[in-house]
Amino acid sequence: QGLVRRGVTAKQLTLVGFAIGIAAAVLIALHLYQAALALILLSRLCDGLDGAVARITRPTDVGGFLDIALDFLFYAAIPLGFAFADPARNALAAATLLAAFAGTMSSFLAFAVLAAKRQMHSLDYPDKSFYFLGGLTEATETLACFAAMCLWPQHFALLAYGFAALCAITTLTRLWWGWRALS
């Protein structure tokens, strides 16, 4: 409410949060992992606040679109930053994680499109601007993984492969659930 009184919009928070997240990826590439972690946390704070501001004011389709699209770009930028930081040790693990993210993101968005077409509404997430299909690897788990990567960058590959496996489980469960819900 304080942000709304100051004239801060949800869209501004989304854009600022995204810019901060991209800056975190650049810091990772420069081996400034703890500074990057601070920016990741600030970025995700903005991401949480944009939805709160939107609910207080008026959620818009463009706001919902920017929120999810820029979130996904942020999620991709962090592993890419690690790949740039140490290509020999991290590039294959980062590519594996990015491929796993492609599965979670595409299954999420594909279901959201068809749920909207069928006018389905999520009872679990009624405040979202589209059908929000959950899974094992959501924003909180991804943030925890990114934090661990920044705290222990020497273990990026192990963390990336482990999280990619969890993302694969999320993708498979979404595919199964989507198949059943849309059949």
Side-chain angles (χ1 to χ4, degrees):
Q1 289 179 348
L3 292 171
V4 172
R5 282 193 295 274
R6 290 176 180 79
V8 176
T9 68
K11 200 177 315 169
Q12 289 168 335
L13 287 167
T14 299
L15 294 171
V16 167
F18 174 70
I20 292 168
I22 296 304
V26 171
L27 291 178
I28 288 167
L30 297 172
H31 305 268
L32 300 170
Y33 303 111
Q34 280 151 4
L37 177 55
L39 290 189
I40 288 170
L41 295 173
L42 183 58
S43 169
R44 298 303 82 195
L45 175 64
C46 291
D47 183 52
L49 289 173
D50 66 1
V53 167
R55 286 185 289 280
I56 291 170
T57 56
R58 185 178 63 91
T60 65
D61 288 344
V62 71
F65 167 75
L66 284 175
D67 182 44
I68 194 67
L70 296 181
D71 280 354
F72 286 167
L73 290 170
F74 159 76
Y75 292 142
I78 299 302
L80 188 60
F82 280 98
F84 276 104
D86 190 346
R89 289 179 56 190
N90 294 344
L92 184 57
T96 302
L97 184 55
L98 289 170
F101 281 171
T104 59
M105 293 173 192
S106 63
S107 60
F108 179 89
L109 293 175
F111 187 82
V113 166
L114 294 171
K117 178 181 174 185
R118 292 180 175 210
Q119 298 180 341
M120 296 169 68
H121 302 285
S122 173
L123 299 176
D124 293 331
Y125 303 97
D127 293 333
K128 296 290 184 180
S129 56
F130 50 87
Y131 196 103
F132 193 86
L133 186 59
L136 181 62
T137 52
E138 296 300 321
T140 301
E141 294 80 11
T142 306
L143 177 59
C145 184
F146 287 172
M149 290 170 173
C150 288
L151 292 171
W152 301 289
Q154 69 276 18
H155 299 297
F156 169 79
L158 178 64
L159 292 164
Y161 287 129
F163 201 68
L166 295 176
C167 287
I169 293 168
T170 293
T171 299
L172 290 172
T173 58
R174 285 180 178 165
L175 291 172
W176 177 82
W177 196 89
W179 184 326
R180 291 198 48 164
L182 297 171
S183 290

mmCIF file of all heavy atoms in Angstrom, residues 4 8-11 50-64 127 129:
data_model
loop_
_atom_site.group_PDB
_atom_site.id
_atom_site.type_symbol
_atom_site.label_atom_id
_atom_site.label_comp_id
_atom_site.label_asym_id
_atom_site.label_seq_id
_atom_site.Cartn_x
_atom_site.Cartn_y
_atom_site.Cartn_z
ATOM 1 N N VAL A 4 1.953 1.910 -3.526
ATOM 2 C CA VAL A 4 0.842 2.440 -4.317
ATOM 3 C C VAL A 4 0.643 3.918 -4.002
ATOM 4 O O VAL A 4 0.459 4.736 -4.908
ATOM 5 C CB VAL A 4 -0.447 1.628 -4.067
ATOM 6 C CG1 VAL A 4 -1.657 2.290 -4.720
ATOM 7 C CG2 VAL A 4 -0.282 0.205 -4.576
ATOM 8 N N VAL A 8 4.033 4.041 -7.280
ATOM 9 C CA VAL A 8 4.768 2.948 -7.907
ATOM 10 C C VAL A 8 3.755 1.963 -8.490
ATOM 11 O O VAL A 8 2.810 1.572 -7.817
ATOM 12 C CB VAL A 8 5.682 2.238 -6.884
ATOM 13 C CG1 VAL A 8 6.377 1.031 -7.512
ATOM 14 C CG2 VAL A 8 6.700 3.212 -6.319
ATOM 15 N N THR A 9 3.970 1.598 -9.747
ATOM 16 C CA THR A 9 3.053 0.667 -10.409
ATOM 17 C C THR A 9 3.632 -0.745 -10.401
ATOM 18 O O THR A 9 4.840 -0.945 -10.259
ATOM 19 C CB THR A 9 2.788 1.081 -11.869
ATOM 20 O OG1 THR A 9 3.997 0.914 -12.627
ATOM 21 C CG2 THR A 9 2.302 2.533 -11.958
ATOM 22 N N ALA A 10 2.743 -1.701 -10.597
ATOM 23 C CA ALA A 10 3.167 -3.102 -10.677
ATOM 24 C C ALA A 10 4.113 -3.289 -11.860
ATOM 25 O O ALA A 10 5.121 -4.003 -11.758
ATOM 26 C CB ALA A 10 1.951 -4.010 -10.808
ATOM 27 N N LYS A 11 3.809 -2.655 -12.971
ATOM 28 C CA LYS A 11 4.645 -2.783 -14.159
ATOM 29 C C LYS A 11 6.054 -2.249 -13.897
ATOM 30 O O LYS A 11 7.048 -2.843 -14.328
ATOM 31 C CB LYS A 11 4.002 -2.041 -15.326
ATOM 32 C CG LYS A 11 4.496 -2.477 -16.688
ATOM 33 C CD LYS A 11 3.774 -1.756 -17.820
ATOM 34 C CE LYS A 11 2.285 -1.721 -17.588
ATOM 35 N NZ LYS A 11 1.542 -0.852 -18.465
ATOM 36 N N ASP A 50 5.251 -6.852 -7.140
ATOM 37 C CA ASP A 50 4.480 -6.422 -8.309
ATOM 38 C C ASP A 50 3.077 -7.019 -8.289
ATOM 39 O O ASP A 50 2.097 -6.337 -8.581
ATOM 40 C CB ASP A 50 5.207 -6.686 -9.629
ATOM 41 C CG ASP A 50 5.403 -8.164 -9.978
ATOM 42 O OD1 ASP A 50 4.968 -9.052 -9.226
ATOM 43 O OD2 ASP A 50 6.032 -8.420 -11.024
ATOM 44 N N GLY A 51 2.967 -8.278 -7.883
ATOM 45 C CA GLY A 51 1.644 -8.890 -7.787
ATOM 46 C C GLY A 51 0.790 -8.265 -6.701
ATOM 47 O O GLY A 51 -0.414 -8.052 -6.884
ATOM 48 N N ALA A 52 1.420 -7.939 -5.567
ATOM 49 C CA ALA A 52 0.679 -7.307 -4.472
ATOM 50 C C ALA A 52 0.170 -5.930 -4.895
ATOM 51 O O ALA A 52 -0.984 -5.578 -4.625
ATOM 52 C CB ALA A 52 1.571 -7.193 -3.236
ATOM 53 N N VAL A 53 1.012 -5.175 -5.569
ATOM 54 C CA VAL A 53 0.596 -3.850 -6.054
ATOM 55 C C VAL A 53 -0.514 -3.991 -7.093
ATOM 56 O O VAL A 53 -1.493 -3.240 -7.086
ATOM 57 C CB VAL A 53 1.803 -3.058 -6.607
ATOM 58 C CG1 VAL A 53 1.358 -1.833 -7.384
ATOM 59 C CG2 VAL A 53 2.737 -2.653 -5.463
ATOM 60 N N ALA A 54 -0.384 -4.968 -7.977
ATOM 61 C CA ALA A 54 -1.416 -5.179 -9.006
ATOM 62 C C ALA A 54 -2.766 -5.513 -8.368
ATOM 63 O O ALA A 54 -3.806 -5.013 -8.813
ATOM 64 C CB ALA A 54 -0.992 -6.288 -9.961
ATOM 65 N N ARG A 55 -2.749 -6.334 -7.332
ATOM 66 C CA ARG A 55 -4.015 -6.704 -6.676
ATOM 67 C C ARG A 55 -4.642 -5.518 -5.961
ATOM 68 O O ARG A 55 -5.859 -5.412 -5.878
ATOM 69 C CB ARG A 55 -3.805 -7.877 -5.728
ATOM 70 C CG ARG A 55 -3.623 -9.197 -6.465
ATOM 71 C CD ARG A 55 -3.540 -10.382 -5.523
ATOM 72 N NE ARG A 55 -2.300 -10.425 -4.754
ATOM 73 C CZ ARG A 55 -1.139 -10.879 -5.213
ATOM 74 N NH1 ARG A 55 -1.038 -11.317 -6.446
ATOM 75 N NH2 ARG A 55 -0.069 -10.902 -4.442
ATOM 76 N N ILE A 56 -3.810 -4.611 -5.426
ATOM 77 C CA ILE A 56 -4.344 -3.427 -4.744
ATOM 78 C C ILE A 56 -4.927 -2.446 -5.763
ATOM 79 O O ILE A 56 -5.951 -1.822 -5.513
ATOM 80 C CB ILE A 56 -3.249 -2.725 -3.908
ATOM 81 C CG1 ILE A 56 -2.869 -3.603 -2.718
ATOM 82 C CG2 ILE A 56 -3.705 -1.353 -3.438
ATOM 83 C CD1 ILE A 56 -1.647 -3.114 -1.965
ATOM 84 N N THR A 57 -4.252 -2.311 -6.887
ATOM 85 C CA THR A 57 -4.715 -1.376 -7.924
ATOM 86 C C THR A 57 -5.629 -2.124 -8.881
ATOM 87 O O THR A 57 -6.780 -2.370 -8.581
ATOM 88 C CB THR A 57 -3.517 -0.724 -8.636
ATOM 89 O OG1 THR A 57 -2.663 -1.741 -9.167
ATOM 90 C CG2 THR A 57 -2.733 0.159 -7.682
ATOM 91 N N ARG A 58 -5.098 -2.509 -10.019
ATOM 92 C CA ARG A 58 -5.906 -3.245 -10.987
ATOM 93 C C ARG A 58 -4.978 -4.101 -11.827
ATOM 94 O O ARG A 58 -4.181 -3.576 -12.604
ATOM 95 C CB ARG A 58 -6.676 -2.273 -11.880
ATOM 96 C CG ARG A 58 -7.636 -2.952 -12.839
ATOM 97 C CD ARG A 58 -8.407 -1.940 -13.677
ATOM 98 N NE ARG A 58 -7.554 -1.150 -14.544
ATOM 99 C CZ ARG A 58 -7.229 -1.478 -15.801
ATOM 100 N NH1 ARG A 58 -7.683 -2.586 -16.317
ATOM 101 N NH2 ARG A 58 -6.468 -0.698 -16.522
ATOM 102 N N PRO A 59 -5.077 -5.425 -11.691
ATOM 103 C CA PRO A 59 -4.249 -6.289 -12.539
ATOM 104 C C PRO A 59 -4.602 -6.088 -14.012
ATOM 105 O O PRO A 59 -5.768 -5.873 -14.349
ATOM 106 C CB PRO A 59 -4.621 -7.702 -12.095
ATOM 107 C CG PRO A 59 -5.314 -7.558 -10.785
ATOM 108 C CD PRO A 59 -5.914 -6.189 -10.775
ATOM 109 N N THR A 60 -3.588 -6.125 -14.869
ATOM 110 C CA THR A 60 -3.817 -5.978 -16.308
ATOM 111 C C THR A 60 -3.222 -7.172 -17.038
ATOM 112 O O THR A 60 -2.316 -7.835 -16.531
ATOM 113 C CB THR A 60 -3.170 -4.684 -16.851
ATOM 114 O OG1 THR A 60 -1.745 -4.791 -16.714
ATOM 115 C CG2 THR A 60 -3.675 -3.453 -16.117
ATOM 116 N N ASP A 61 -3.717 -7.402 -18.230
ATOM 117 C CA ASP A 61 -3.174 -8.487 -19.044
ATOM 118 C C ASP A 61 -1.712 -8.231 -19.394
ATOM 119 O O ASP A 61 -0.889 -9.146 -19.354
ATOM 120 C CB ASP A 61 -3.997 -8.666 -20.323
ATOM 121 C CG ASP A 61 -5.357 -9.276 -20.053
ATOM 122 O OD1 ASP A 61 -5.568 -9.836 -18.951
ATOM 123 O OD2 ASP A 61 -6.221 -9.208 -20.949
ATOM 124 N N VAL A 62 -1.382 -6.994 -19.723
ATOM 125 C CA VAL A 62 0.017 -6.692 -20.068
ATOM 126 C C VAL A 62 0.914 -6.895 -18.856
ATOM 127 O O VAL A 62 2.044 -7.384 -18.980
ATOM 128 C CB VAL A 62 0.178 -5.282 -20.686
ATOM 129 C CG1 VAL A 62 -0.015 -4.176 -19.653
ATOM 130 C CG2 VAL A 62 1.542 -5.147 -21.340
ATOM 131 N N GLY A 63 0.419 -6.576 -17.676
ATOM 132 C CA GLY A 63 1.198 -6.801 -16.459
ATOM 133 C C GLY A 63 1.437 -8.280 -16.208
ATOM 134 O O GLY A 63 2.548 -8.702 -15.891
ATOM 135 N N GLY A 64 0.398 -9.096 -16.365
ATOM 136 C CA GLY A 64 0.527 -10.541 -16.203
ATOM 137 C C GLY A 64 1.480 -11.132 -17.235
ATOM 138 O O GLY A 64 2.296 -12.003 -16.919
ATOM 139 N N ASP A 127 -5.741 -15.705 -7.573
ATOM 140 C CA ASP A 127 -5.329 -14.324 -7.819
ATOM 141 C C ASP A 127 -4.397 -14.172 -9.024
ATOM 142 O O ASP A 127 -4.032 -13.056 -9.376
ATOM 143 C CB ASP A 127 -4.621 -13.747 -6.585
ATOM 144 C CG ASP A 127 -5.573 -13.581 -5.408
ATOM 145 O OD1 ASP A 127 -6.786 -13.414 -5.639
ATOM 146 O OD2 ASP A 127 -5.099 -13.625 -4.258
ATOM 147 N N SER A 129 -3.158 -14.104 -12.959
ATOM 148 C CA SER A 129 -3.815 -13.578 -14.155
ATOM 149 C C SER A 129 -4.074 -14.658 -15.201
ATOM 150 O O SER A 129 -4.676 -14.389 -16.226
ATOM 151 C CB SER A 129 -2.984 -12.444 -14.757
ATOM 152 O OG SER A 129 -1.669 -12.880 -15.031
#
